[in-house]
C-alpha cells in the first residue's frame, strides 16, 4: 500500500539530510497564521472548568454541529464532527461499503493517494479513471466504468494534485450517475476556501439527500494538526458512520473543537480572502518562473498545488532526490498520485519561498 | 450492536428530563481538576508559531513518544499515540484480527461493552467468559475456550465494571495461554493510576514482546475529552496499526498531545495520589451506605466503579429508570455489561455526591 505521508516523510527526511539548503514544496501544511479567534478558543479551553475537559457528545459539540448545520443549510443530525477530513472520508467510504452491494470505489487518476489506500483498508477495490489533461473529469469514463459493483464515487474538488475545480453541472451529473447504479457520491471539499475561479459550488447546493460532503478546517484555518473536520451524510449512511466514529474514536478532541467553533464565529471573511490572494499571487509568480524553466504545467483553478513536467526528467522518486540534491527543491513525484501523471512533479506552494523554488528549477533545467 | 455510550446517553437524557434532582453515577467522567501543567500546555499551544498548528508525526509528537517510552521502558518505535484508549484498543484488535488466523476474541463477562462492539465492527467474533463472583479471572474457562479460532484475549485491569485488579501471575498465565494458541494478549490499563491494592503491575513488566498494552491519560489526568492515549505494540502488529492509524485519523490532535506532554513532565506524584485517595474515601463511604441499603456489592480493588445488587430489583433499564424517578440516582444497568451481572447496577463514583447517592439508595430500598 503506497500512500502520500510515508512518501512525504521519506522525501522530507532526504531533504533534511541533504548537504545544502532545500526548499520544501512537498508538504501540504499551510504556512500562514491561524485565525486569532482560534488561538483565543484554545486559551479559553485552558481556563475551562473540569467538566469542559470531559467527553463532548460523540458526534461533536452541539454548538459546533449547529454552527456547521446553519452555515451549510443541512439538518444538524446529518453532521458528524470528525478527526479531520481523514476520518470523514474513512467514515463515508466505510458506510458506503457496508450499506451497499459491490466493493468498487471509482476514483480519478491522478488521485490523492489516501483514497485508494483507505478503500483497500476497508476491503474495497479502488478503480482509477484518468482525468483529462487539464484535470477535468472525463464523465464518459465514469459512465463506462459504473455498474453493479460500484459502491461509491469519491471526488476531490478543488483537487489535489491537479488544481481542477469541477463545475456544478459535472458534480450533478456524477451524482445522477451514482444514483443510477445505487452508489454514493462522496465529495471531499477540504480546499473549498481556495477557489480562484469564483465558480466553485459545494455538492451540498445540489440539495440531494444521497450525496456525502467531507471537509475540514485544516487548510482554511491553517490547522492541519488540530484534526477537526466533518462529514455531512445522507440518512441511510448515518447510523453506520455514527457507530464507527464512536467505536473507533469516541469523539474528536474537545479543545480543538471549541477553538474551531470560536474561530468560525469570530473570523471575518477577510481572513480567508487574504490567504486566498496570497496563494493566487504565489501561483502566478511560480508559473512565471516555470515558464523560464521551459516546463509544462497546470495553472490550478483551486487548492495550492501545481503539477509540472520537465523534458526527459520523469517524476520518479529517484529524480525527486536529484531535484533535492542538485536544484535544492523538494517536490512530490507524480507517480505517488497514480499512473496518469507519473511523468510529473507536484509542488505545494505553502512556503513563502515558492518563487525562489521555481527560479532554482529554471536554473537547474 | 449495544454499547455503553448510547445506553449512557439514553439514561443521562432520562435523568435530565426527570422531574426531580438526580445524582448521576452513570458517566465515567472524572469530576476533579486536570493537572495545572495540562492547562499550561494548552495555553502554550495557543501561543505557538504557525508551524506548531500543523501535522505532528502520525505516530505522535516525538517528545511525547520518547517520554512515554522512557517511563514505560519500551522502545519508542513500539509506541503509537492514539485518539484515546478507544482508538488504541481499535488498533490493537484490528492488527490482531488482520495478522493472525481465526476471528475470535476472548473477553470477560461482565465486559466493558465497547470491546465486543469493536470486535464486531472489525468482523471478529466476541466470546464472553464469566469471571468469578469477586471479578477475578477464571483461567480454566480461558484455557477451555482458547484454540485455533482465538485471535486475541482482551483484558481490562483495573477493571470496569468489576473493580478487579488481576495479579501479575494471572496476566502472565494469560499471556502464556495466548502464546500457546497463537493469539495476542491485549491489556487495557486505562485505570492504572487507580489501584488501591498496591499490587497492580502493568503487563509491560512481563517484558514479553508479544503483549499489547493500551491506555490513555483520560482518567489519570481527568481529560476524557482531550482524546490522548497510546498503544504499546509488539513488532508483528506495528505495521498494520501504524497504517490504520494514519489512514483513519492521520494523527492525534496536537494541542492535546502537547498539553499531555507538559503535564507528564511537570505533574508531581502527589496529584495522582490525592485523587486516588479521594476515590478510595468515596468508595468506603459509598460502601458503608450500601450496607445500610442491605445491598450486595463488590468493593473495587481499582478503578472507580461499584457493582451492587438489590433484592428483587434486577439491573434492567426499566429498573434504572425507576431508580432515577423514585430514588433520584442514575446508575448503569448491569445488563449493559453482559449476562453475568444482569441483576446488578454499576455506580460510577465520579461525583462528589457519591455518598449522598448511596444514602438515597438506602432510603429507597
Amino acid at each position: 500500500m503506497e500512500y502520500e505521508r510515508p512518501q512525504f516523510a521519506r522525501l522530507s527526511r532526504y531533504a533534511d539530510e541533504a548537504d545544502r539548503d532545500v526548499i520544501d514544496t512537498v508538504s501540504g501544511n499551510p504556512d500562514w497564521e491561524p485565525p486569532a479567534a482560534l488561538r483565543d478558543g484554545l486559551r479559553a479551553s485552558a481556563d475551562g472548568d473540569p467538566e469542559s475537559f470531559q467527553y463532548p457528545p460523540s458526534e461533536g459539540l452541539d454548538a459546533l454541529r449547529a454552527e456547521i448545520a446553519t452555515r451549510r443549510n443541512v439538518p444538524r443530525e446529518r453532521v458528524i464532527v470528525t478527526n479531520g477530513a481523514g476520518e470523514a472520508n474513512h467514515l463515508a467510504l466505510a458506510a458506503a461499503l457496508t450499506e451497499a452491494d459491490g466493493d468498487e470505489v471509482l476514483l480519478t487518476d491522478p488521485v490523492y493517494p489516501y483514497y485508494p489506500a483507505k478503500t483497500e483498508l476497508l476491503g474495497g477495490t479502488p478503480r482509477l479513471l484518468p482525468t483529462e489533461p487539464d484535470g477535468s473529469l472525463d464523465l464518459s469514463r465514469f459512465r463506462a466504468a459504473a455498474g453493479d459493483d460500484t459502491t461509491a464515487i469519491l471526488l476531490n474538488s478543488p483537487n489535489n494534485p491537479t488544481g481542477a475545480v469541477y463545475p456544478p453541472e459535472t458534480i450533478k451529473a456524477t451524482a445522477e450517475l451514482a444514483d443510477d447504479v445505487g452508489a454514493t457520491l462522496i465529495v471531499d471539499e477540504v480546499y473549498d476556501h481556495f477557489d480562484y475561479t469564483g465558480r466553485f459550488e459545494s455538492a451540498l447546493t445540489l440539495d440531494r439527500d444521497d450525496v456525502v460532503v467531507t471537509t475540514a478546517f485544516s487548510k482554511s484555518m491553517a490547522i492541519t494538526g488540530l484534526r477537526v473536520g466533518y462529514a455531512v451524510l445522507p440518512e441511510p449512511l448515518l447510523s453506520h458512520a455514527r457507530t464507527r466514529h464512536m467505536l473507533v474514536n469516541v469523539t474528536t478532541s474537545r479543545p480543538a473543537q471549541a477553538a474551531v467553533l470560536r474561530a468560525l464565529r469570530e473570523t471575518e471573511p477577510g481572513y480567508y480572502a487574504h490567504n486566498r490572494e496570497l496563494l493566487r499571487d504565489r501561483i502566478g509568480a511560480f508559473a512565471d518562473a516555470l515558464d523560464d524553466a521551459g516546463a509544462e504545467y497546470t495553472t490550478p483553478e483551486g487548492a495550492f498545488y501545481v503539477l509540472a513536467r520537465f523534458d526527459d526528467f520523469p517524476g520518479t522518486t529517484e529524480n525527486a532526490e536529484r531535484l533535492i540534491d542538485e536544484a535544492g527543491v523538494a517536490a512530490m513525484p507524480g507517480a505517488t498520485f497514480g499512473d496518469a501523471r507519473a511523468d510529473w512533479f507536484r509542488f505545494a506552494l505553502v512556503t513563502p519561498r515558492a518563487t525562489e523554488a521555481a527560479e532554482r528549477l529554471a536554473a537547474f533545467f
Side-chain angles (χ1 to χ4, degrees), chain A:
Chain A
M1 215 184 304
E2 174 106 45
Y3 35 72
E4 184 177 28
R5 204 167 166 79
Q7 178 73 289
F8 152 81
R10 211 176 306 135
L11 277 174
S12 288
R13 195 165 47 240
Y14 190 89
D16 285 347
E17 289 166 2
D19 196 21
R20 60 165 297 164
D21 172 61
V22 178
I23 302 174
D24 177 11
T25 69
V26 166
S27 98
N29 289 348
D31 63 313
W32 54 88
E33 265 288 316
L38 188 116
R39 293 178 180 275
D40 293 341
L42 276 181
R43 275 183 211 108
S45 283
D47 294 331
D49 60 22
E51 207 175 328
S52 72
F53 288 81
Q54 309 309 322
Y55 293 123
S58 178
E59 296 89 349
L61 285 171
D62 287 344
L64 179 56
R65 289 174 81 206
E67 184 76 26
I68 291 167
T70 303
R71 286 166 176 267
R72 307 312 302 263
N73 194 27
V74 295
R76 193 180 73 169
E77 291 65 36
R78 287 180 54 198
V79 177
I80 301 179
V81 177
T82 58
N83 204 60
E87 192 203 354
N89 286 320
H90 174 74
L91 295 181
L93 285 170
L97 285 161
T98 306
E99 298 302 324
D101 298 333
D103 74 340
E104 214 170 68
V105 176
L106 302 187
L107 300 165
T108 59
D109 184 352
V111 70
Y112 178 54
Y114 270 171
Y115 297 160
K118 280 169 188 283
T119 301
E120 284 171 357
L121 182 79
L122 290 160
T125 306
R127 186 164 169 195
L128 273 59
L129 305 171
T131 58
E132 301 283 5
D134 67 354
S136 62
L137 283 196
D138 183 349
L139 268 174
S140 66
R141 286 186 193 266
F142 280 82
R143 286 206 180 90
D148 290 348
D149 285 344
T150 311
T151 300
I153 302 174
L154 170 51
L155 302 179
N156 175 216
S157 177
N159 188 267
N160 172 12
T162 67
V165 172
Y166 306 139
E169 50 279 15
T170 301
I171 300 288
K172 184 160 182 274
T174 313
E176 284 161 2
L177 173 62
D179 191 27
D180 287 347
V181 298
T184 300
L185 173 64
I186 305 166
V187 189
D188 177 346
E189 300 179 348
V190 73
Y191 297 102
D192 60 356
H193 282 62
F194 304 98
D195 164 40
Y196 313 115
T197 66
R199 293 192 309 272
F200 172 78
E201 280 183 31
S202 168
L204 291 175
T205 61
L206 294 176
D207 207 20
R208 296 181 67 102
D209 59 7
D210 58 353
V211 168
V212 180
V213 166
T214 59
T215 191
F217 304 95
S218 304
K219 312 288 182 176
S220 62
M221 293 187 183
I223 50 166
T224 55
L226 261 69
R227 313 307 305 132
V228 185
Y230 61 91
V232 181
L233 295 140
E235 177 58 41
L237 302 185
L238 262 179
S239 171
H240 181 87
R242 266 201 303 250
T243 298
R244 181 174 287 261
H245 175 63
M246 207 195 56
L247 291 177
V248 173
N249 282 329
V250 185
T251 184
T252 300
S253 188
R254 185 163 175 166
Q257 287 194 55
V260 163
L261 172 61
R262 181 128 171 197
L264 265 183
R265 285 177 170 164
E266 298 182 8
T267 305
E268 300 292 334
Y271 168 82
Y272 305 104
H274 172 81
N275 295 321
R276 186 166 51 243
E277 289 313 307
L278 172 83
L279 286 163
R280 191 211 290 267
D281 291 347
R282 272 188 198 165
I283 290 167
F286 191 77
D288 289 346
L290 281 183
D291 283 330
D292 295 341
E296 182 182 355
Y297 60 88
T298 54
T299 303
E301 300 174 315
F304 39 67
Y305 305 98
V306 170
L307 282 171
R309 199 180 67 76
F310 305 91
D311 281 345
D312 303 320
F313 198 82
T316 61
T317 301
E318 199 180 5
N319 279 337
E321 292 175 357
R322 273 194 66 194
L323 276 189
I324 290 170
D325 290 329
E326 299 175 29
V329 176
M332 191 74 95
T336 310
F337 305 97
D339 295 329
R341 298 296 188 108
D343 280 353
W344 300 58
F345 288 93
R346 190 199 71 174
F347 300 88
L349 304 191
V350 280
T351 161
R353 300 174 72 192
T355 313
E356 190 185 346
E359 286 161 1
R360 288 186 178 187
L361 294 171
F364 174 71
F365 284 106

